[in-house]
Amino acid sequence: MSANRSESERHEAAKRSLSPKRVAAAAGVFVVVLFLDFFLNVILPDSSIRQLLMLAACNVLAALSLNVINGMAGQFSIGHAGFLGIGAYTSAVIASHMHHFFGGGEPSFARSFAIVPACLCASAIVAGFFGFLVGLPSLRLRGDYLAIVTLGFAEIFRLIIATAQADSGNGQSVMGRISAAISSLGGQNGYQGIGNDGIPLYAGPFWVFGLAALLGLVAWRIKFSGWGRALRGLREDEIAAAAVGVDPTRYKVTSFVIAAAGGGIAGGLSAIMRDGLGIVNPDNYNFQTSFDAITMVILGGSGSVTGSAMGGVFVTFTVKAIELLQGSSVVQDLRVSVEWLDLNALRMIVYAMVIIALMIVRPEGLLGERELFGKRRAVQR
């Protein structure tokens, strides 16, 4: 009886997923992002605005991926910048070599269908692999101990790339080849593609906004699936969840791998994003980047998919607003008499104060675990 019921439930779920409304919505999103890829530069001639919008979409992906482990699973990782950086470097290297293999030239939309999926799949796999290596031993830890481990991993990754130097005297050994490979990433100056010609920027609005919508849907489905309910059960009471058959280590490690892979996709997408800088620098993946990602999740509401997306957009536009204010004539005039006035540095203090105030007034964040588009429940009669 239960087998027949579960089979019928699967059929009903398949029918719902292929309902005309959902197919029409998916087709509408596809048409919109395709239109934006060709006409966004006409609608918004200013490349800085286009870059800001696509960066916001990449930050939404970073927040959604971190929300899986910090929000749904209730773990505290503060080293998400490491996975973003791994994804960025992986994507940049693969895009540069594939671009060179295809003969160079200007990045084209048609060629992006070969290069962008390869870059992002590799970024997700490599970042997910490192997420497994970090998560397997460390997710037996909790709270502050886990936070220290993840922070240490992110800093180790950044410093290895920033300080790498080729070993000319031992180039044929395994360690010598590894050292040469890492040093080819540009060190402190950053990776700028083959011949330092810049990373080819293949990911236009079609890929950036389309993947933000697609992975947002994936995060939504994870939250409301049995897997997501098990994660929330572990977060609330690990002993009770384990008593009903939920394996804490397996669920936590798998969730950590999913979060790391999502971070790799976000970082890989930002590295080859159209209107980007064409360079990947290790200093872009320091503790401040991890702190920004945590701020996105906490502000929107830990465990909320739409809340994390709102937090990603808010932090992105706030950072840009502070940069514009810092470069304004008013602030520059003030710095003549107040030399320590640096709004970019003060941003961390402001965010910390906002988070402290939010924890006092509304500790669950703006939305808590709620969503902007809540599921409708049938009325019981």
Side-chain angles (χ1 to χ4, degrees), residues 60-77 80 83 139 146 215-225 227-235 250-263 293-294 296-298 301-309 369 371:
V60 166
L61 291 177
L64 290 175
S65 61
L66 182 61
N67 187 48
V68 173
I69 188 69
N70 277 29
M72 298 182 192
Q75 303 300 303
F76 190 52
S77 169
H80 207 55
F83 303 117
L139 281 181
L146 176 61
L215 296 184
L217 177 62
V218 171
W220 180 280
R221 297 301 296 267
I222 288 176
K223 176 179 178 178
F224 292 105
S225 67
W227 185 274
R229 289 191 292 271
L231 286 181
R232 294 198 294 277
L234 286 172
R235 182 190 64 194
R250 183 171 70 89
Y251 273 83
K252 289 180 181 180
V253 171
T254 306
S255 301
F256 203 87
V257 172
I258 293 173
I294 295 171
M296 297 172 194
V297 174
I298 293 177
S302 295
S304 173
V305 175
T306 51
S308 297
E369 281 205 53
E371 304 291 346

